[in-house]
Amino acid sequence: MSAPRVVSVAPASPAERVGVRPGDEILALNGEVPRDVIAYRLLADEAEVVLDVRRGGLEVQLTVEKAAGEPLGAEVSSALFDQVRTCDNHCEFCFIYQLPPGLRKSLYLKDDDYRLSFLYGNFTTLTRFTEADLERVVTERISPLHVSIHATDPEVRAEMLRNRRGATSLRWLRALLDHGIEVHGQVVVCPGRNDGAVLDDTLAGVLDRYPELASLCVVPLGVSRYNTEPHMRPHTRAEARAVVEAVHDWQDVYQPTLGHRLVFAADEYYLLAGIPFPEPDAYEGFPMHEDGVGMARTFELEFTGAVARPTGVATGFFAWVDGAPPEGYRAPRTEQPSTGPGCGAGEAASAGSAGPGGTTVTLRARPDAPVTVLTGTYGATVLEPLVAGLGRPDVRVLAVENRFFGGNTGVAGLLTGSDLRRVLADQPDGHRYLLPDVCLSQGRFLDGTTPDELPRPVEVVATDGIALRAALERR
Ligand code: SF4
């Protein structure tokens, strides 16, 4: 356990009124030691909060009086004050095993922690879930949670997770649903492993055993050039088409039975299969937007002005937690607060949360210079028709092939500085280059480089259609 450290105090907040300062370590609230920001928030919700604080080696006690439920106003340095619960599975499709060496340490962290599921929307397999966890989730109403299902057949699931507890851990999913916890599910499809008849069996199993699921996304596995698993490979077009058709067939079963479609295929599948995206209404409010389901449609709605606000990145219920920043687990994309335009589209990968409509701009090209929108190969497929619809010969989309990871990594969220450097070196000087912020975490690409190291200046802009449109109109 490490005590949460205050990193900032909101002006005129209850914390400021009693003299809480950045650097203070909060040892206890009303005598209780919080394990994470969820507990911290619950304890801080009281009308009277006695804070045990360590400051410069000394312990002081501060008493806060405020309205019940009023935020304390002290931002702390991490989401979990004890250890992240790591995953004990060894999935053959795990992208973490397919990362090259030498990246930042946090990228290699395999977590399987229901708290991160609640806070950030991470998926948990529940193989390390316990009775005590269930009790806490139910008592504190830690909801919604996000659960990796992959297959409902116990043997197939255990094989996919390479963990015998994978055969039985979905009993916790049943228990969560029995207690009214909202759960969103995920199936990562690996061709030859859990597609075809196994996928049908899984979707039948969901109807039979977990019909209360709020939504279920079906996403393809990612394969990088560092993959060492002989059976893991990208889908063929025919396989992708079969997955989309299976999802549509099961939507036709779920809709009349459950009253909603429940299951959705990732955007990547439609791109791979060459099948048009479903109409926006078919996404039922885009519950799995952050998981790459419906991003292309939301981007289109934003870009064409059909909606007034970006759908944005849902960060689980993290926003609910008073004053706790995402540093330490999931960092903001840019180092500065976001305020303006952005680009990038239809991406399955996301790497953090930017403020709505965010931008960090390094303007060195003339405002009326030709504009190039940089994105991944999948994003380019979505963006090109939208940009063409503007009738602006001065704007073009440039797809950046991902050679750093290779394989089937076509999403903008996995773009790295080395690939951008290679592509931009051949591009004309004096143009404006727009870069989606989704490929950055605290101002750095996944390979550790920064936009300042690129051979052309870029404008880093938020990854939504409204922001991109605004950036293009800023001449
Ligand atoms: S559960 Fe997730 S993190 Fe763990 S091995 Fe499987 S894919 Fe990787």
Side-chain angles (χ1 to χ4, degrees):
M1 284 282 279
S2 60
R5 189 174 42 79
V6 176
V7 291
S8 72
V9 179
S13 64
E16 191 193 57
R17 285 202 299 272
V18 298
V20 175
R21 299 181 203 157
D24 285 352
E25 289 174 88
I26 299 181
L27 305 176
L29 299 92
N30 290 339
E32 288 197 45
V33 179
R35 294 158 50 186
D36 47 47
V37 287
I38 304 167
Y40 172 88
R41 162 67 193 256
L42 287 174
L43 294 168
D45 259 358
E46 298 292 319
E48 183 177 301
V49 186
V50 178
L51 296 171
D52 290 323
V53 168
R54 184 159 54 213
R55 178 182 297 162
L58 298 175
E59 290 186 16
V60 292
Q61 209 167 59
L62 305 169
T63 301
V64 181
E65 290 191 1
K66 61 181 184 61
E70 183 185 359
L72 191 58
E75 185 176 290
V76 296
S77 57
S78 63
L80 306 183
F81 315 143
D82 55 4
Q83 295 287 312
V84 173
R85 191 175 296 172
T86 52
C87 140
D88 62 351
N89 307 311
H90 304 278
C91 307
E92 52 191 346
F93 55 86
C94 181
F95 201 73
I96 294 174
Y97 296 142
Q98 303 180 53
L99 296 175
L103 303 182
R104 59 178 175 273
K105 214 171 133 199
S106 61
L107 293 173
Y108 300 100
L109 177 68
K110 293 195 316 167
D111 73 83
D112 203 349
D113 194 315
Y114 69 92
R115 298 171 300 174
L116 297 178
S117 180
F118 170 69
L119 292 168
Y120 298 102
N122 294 6
F123 282 90
T124 170
T125 62
L126 299 172
T127 51
R128 297 197 61 193
F129 203 71
T130 65
E131 199 69 51
D133 295 333
L134 178 67
E135 192 180 328
R136 183 181 180 203
V137 166
V138 172
T139 309
E140 298 182 16
R141 303 310 297 171
I142 299 178
S143 173
L145 295 179
H146 305 258
V147 172
S148 285
I149 294 172
H150 304 325
T152 50
D153 180 295
E155 272 180 39
V156 176
R157 189 166 189 267
E159 277 170 24
M160 289 188 73
L161 301 185
R162 285 181 174 151
N163 183 345
R164 60 191 166 77
R165 281 202 301 279
T168 53
S169 70
L170 285 182
R171 74 185 190 280
W172 295 118
L173 172 58
R174 189 57 260 156
L176 291 166
L177 295 170
D178 284 341
H179 286 90
I181 301 298
E182 181 180 326
V183 181
H184 298 267
Q186 180 200 48
V187 173
V188 175
V189 179
C190 305
R193 176 66 78 184
N194 64 335
D195 60 347
V198 178
L199 180 60
D200 274 326
D201 179 64
T202 299
L203 296 176
V206 164
L207 181 62
D208 186 38
R209 278 165 270 163
Y210 315 110
E212 304 94 334
L213 275 176
S215 66
L216 178 65
C217 65
V218 174
V219 304
L221 84 165
V223 183
S224 90
R225 66 189 171 94
Y226 299 95
N227 170 49
T228 56
E229 295 286 349
H231 302 298
M232 294 296 106
R233 58 166 178 83
H235 292 68
T236 63
R237 174 172 281 237
E239 288 165 345
R241 183 169 279 269
V243 169
V244 172
E245 285 167 358
V247 166
H248 289 179
D249 287 349
W250 279 97
Q251 286 182 338
D252 290 343
V253 174
Y254 291 147
Q255 175 83 56
T257 320
L258 304 174
H260 65 126
R261 289 176 178 83
L262 179 65
V263 65
F264 305 93
D267 289 5
E268 208 173 324
Y269 270 125
Y270 292 92
L271 294 172
L272 285 170
I275 294 175
F277 294 112
E279 291 303 313
D281 284 354
Y283 287 101
E284 301 183 342
F286 301 101
M288 307 203 85
H289 176 262
E290 192 186 0
D291 305 300
V293 177
M295 277 186 166
R297 278 295 184 216
T298 57
F299 199 95
E300 181 185 10
L301 294 172
E302 293 157 3
F303 191 79
T304 56
V307 293
R309 290 162 57 88
T311 309
V313 175
T315 51
F317 262 39
F318 199 75
W320 170 88
V321 179
D322 169 34
E327 274 91 353
Y329 185 73
R330 184 185 287 196
R333 292 173 181 171
T334 57
E335 288 171 312
Q336 299 159 24
S338 298
T339 53
C343 62
E347 309 299 344
S350 59
S353 58
T359 184
T360 303
V361 178
T362 310
L363 265 183
R364 278 174 264 175
R366 285 161 46 114
D368 60 348
V371 188
T372 301
V373 182
L374 300 161
T375 187
T377 48
Y378 288 145
T381 311
V382 175
L383 278 180
E384 273 160 1
L386 295 176
V387 167
L390 297 176
R392 294 246 321 249
D394 62 322
V395 180
R396 69 189 169 117
V397 175
L398 183 59
V400 178
E401 185 195 345
N402 195 322
R403 293 189 192 165
F404 184 85
F405 289 110
N408 66 350
T409 50
V411 297
L414 293 175
L415 280 181
T416 61
S418 66
D419 284 312
L420 288 157
R421 211 163 40 232
R422 183 191 75 247
V423 167
L424 283 171
D426 295 333
Q427 298 302 312
D429 213 353
H431 289 204
R432 292 176 63 204
Y433 294 95
L434 308 186
L435 179 73
D437 69 350
V438 71
C439 58
L440 293 169
S441 176
Q442 286 187 304
R444 287 195 178 271
F445 296 107
L446 285 164
D447 61 3
T449 61
T450 66
D452 285 346
E453 297 172 55
L454 298 174
R456 301 282 176 270
V458 294
E459 300 172 35
V460 179
V461 287
T463 310
D464 70 75
I466 291 173
L468 174 59
R469 187 69 185 255
L472 295 175
E473 285 170 357
R474 188 158 38 78
R475 286 195 275 180

